[in-house]
């Protein structure tokens, strides 16, 4: 079973770690190049983490926050301004707590 709470998919994490290992391993032959490579790996990691967290926040927000009404509402679509029920809010709060606690423990 896949880890659905991981901040990076395993294959992406492995690629970033391999790039970092290659940078570290190349230090003796080219110190400046190795540090530049490590800098790029960190930059790519931060960019991917930012995108992942932005997507996660957007997903969490849509679980409890009403969406703006569409231009042409469909009669079989629930009202866009219907408030979330208490269970939806409880689940959203649990998700927010879990995500925030994970970030604070990095």
């Amino acid at each position: 079973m896949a880890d659905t709470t991981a901040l990076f998919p395993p294959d992406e994490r492995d690629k970033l770690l391999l790039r970092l290992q290659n940078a570290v391993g190349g230090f003796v032959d080219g110190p400046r190049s190795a540090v530049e490579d490590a800098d790029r790996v960190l930059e790519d990691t931060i960019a991917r983490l930012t995108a992942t967290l932005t997507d996660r926040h957007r997903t969490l927000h849509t679980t409890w926050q009403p969406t703006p009404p569409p231009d042409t509402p469909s009669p079989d679509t629930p009202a866009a301004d219907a408030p979330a029920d208490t269970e939806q809010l409880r689940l959203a709060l649990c998700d927010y707590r879990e995500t925030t606690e994970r970030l604070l423990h990095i």
Side-chain angles (χ1 to χ4, degrees):
M1 177 157 85
D3 181 6
T4 59
T5 63
L7 293 174
F8 294 94
D11 60 330
E12 190 172 340
R13 182 194 63 226
D14 293 346
K15 287 177 186 176
L16 289 165
L17 286 171
L18 181 61
R19 286 177 54 202
L20 182 60
Q21 289 171 352
N22 288 338
V24 171
F27 184 80
V28 172
D29 294 331
R32 177 170 295 280
S33 177
V35 172
E36 289 170 350
D37 290 346
D39 180 68
R40 283 189 293 274
V41 172
L42 179 59
E43 184 176 26
D44 292 348
T45 301
I46 291 169
R48 181 63 180 117
L49 179 61
T50 301
T52 298
L53 292 173
T54 299
D55 289 345
R56 178 71 177 143
H57 179 247
R58 187 177 303 116
T59 299
L60 283 171
H61 190 78
T62 60
T63 64
W64 66 274
Q65 188 65 32
T67 56
D71 293 338
T72 54
S74 170
D76 49 289
T77 303
D81 60 352
D85 68 21
T86 303
E87 180 61 10
Q88 284 175 307
L89 294 172
R90 186 188 71 77
L91 293 172
L93 183 59
C94 289
D95 287 342
Y96 275 107
R97 181 182 65 200
E98 176 199 347
T99 300
T100 302
E101 286 176 346
R102 287 179 53 223
L103 287 172
L104 293 173
H105 288 99
I106 290 179

